[in-house]
Amino acid sequence: MAEPDVRRMSVGEFLAWEPGDGLRYELVDGWPRAMTGARIRHDRVVRRVLRVLEDRTGAGPCEPFSSDIGIHTPRGDLRRPDATVDCGPRDPDDTIARMPVVVVEVLSPSTKHYDLLVKIIDYKAIPSLGHILFVEPDDLRAILYSRGADGSWAELSLIGADTEVDLAAIGARFRLGALYGDDLTLSGGTIDV
């Protein structure tokens, strides 16, 4: 298989370029960046996140999407969170969320520090975003960032199956344990940076 033509590009050029080679890419500083694959535990948590968000948004104006749908950041990047709740108008042929309100990243050992230190900056700059949830797949832990009415961000550590996750911007509440199903005997990883 031939290597895709990797060069610096705009979001529009990037969306037209995506090679369809089975790999998934983000656009970072104008450059396509291949995303890494996931472990089964990670993928299970992502599926449960999407299921919980689907249940909580129902037939309302907001809809959850997988990492197939990107979000455009103010600095010109295109990110692909594990889950996005979009509350804007949607064309069925869109590949970008027009008004992302919630993003969820399920952390991976290879990208955890990048997500917590770099991606969060991009996410916080998106004006429509109300919540950023980082979920640790190997332990019942998460970090929830919520934007206040004044635009400032509050950080809340969530620990334990019965801890409530409150995504007020979309009117959704659920127990953290709902994201883990039967995988509650976890290895004890942490999300410390």
Side-chain angles (χ1 to χ4, degrees), residues 47-83:
R47 288 192 336 260
R48 288 180 185 119
V49 165
L50 288 166
R51 192 175 313 129
V52 165
L53 292 174
E54 182 78 28
D55 289 346
R56 298 311 185 278
T57 55
C62 300
E63 185 176 0
F65 292 98
S66 71
S67 60
D68 286 336
I69 302 303
I71 59 172
H72 189 209
T73 70
R75 71 179 197 138
D77 291 342
L78 185 114
R79 297 291 188 182
R80 295 188 184 280
D82 289 310

Side-chain angles (χ1 to χ4, degrees), residues 41 139-140 160-161 175-187:
R41 180 176 283 159
D139 199 4
L140 283 158
R175 290 180 328 98
L176 184 60
L179 306 182
Y180 296 88
D182 295 332
D183 291 342
L184 295 179
T185 53
L186 302 170
S187 65

Side-chain angles (χ1 to χ4, degrees), residues 7 9-18 27 72 76 78 96:
R7 58 184 166 74
M9 55 187 79
S10 70
V11 170
E13 291 170 326
F14 170 76
L15 292 171
W17 165 87
E18 285 189 289
L27 185 68
H72 189 209
L78 185 114
I96 295 177

Side-chain angles (χ1 to χ4, degrees), residues 11-110:
V11 170
E13 291 170 326
F14 170 76
L15 292 171
W17 165 87
E18 285 189 289
D21 58 5
L23 294 175
R24 185 161 280 127
Y25 296 84
E26 290 186 318
L27 185 68
V28 181
D29 295 327
W31 293 95
R33 178 180 173 169
M35 297 174 66
T36 60
R39 298 176 300 145
I40 287 175
R41 180 176 283 159
H42 178 281
D43 195 57
R44 283 178 180 157
V45 173
V46 170
R47 288 192 336 260
R48 288 180 185 119
V49 165
L50 288 166
R51 192 175 313 129
V52 165
L53 292 174
E54 182 78 28
D55 289 346
R56 298 311 185 278
T57 55
C62 300
E63 185 176 0
F65 292 98
S66 71
S67 60
D68 286 336
I69 302 303
I71 59 172
H72 189 209
T73 70
R75 71 179 197 138
D77 291 342
L78 185 114
R79 297 291 188 182
R80 295 188 184 280
D82 289 310
T84 301
V85 177
D86 183 27
C87 297
R90 285 175 295 283
D91 177 322
D93 294 323
D94 275 348
T95 58
I96 295 177
R98 299 298 171 185
M99 195 173 111
V101 176
V102 175
V103 296
V104 180
E105 289 282 2
V106 179
L107 299 171
S108 298
S110 62

Side-chain angles (χ1 to χ4, degrees), residues 109-122:
S110 62
T111 61
K112 178 190 305 191
H113 293 292
Y114 183 79
D115 291 350
L116 293 170
L117 297 172
V118 177
K119 276 189 177 181
I120 192 169
I121 294 168
D122 280 350

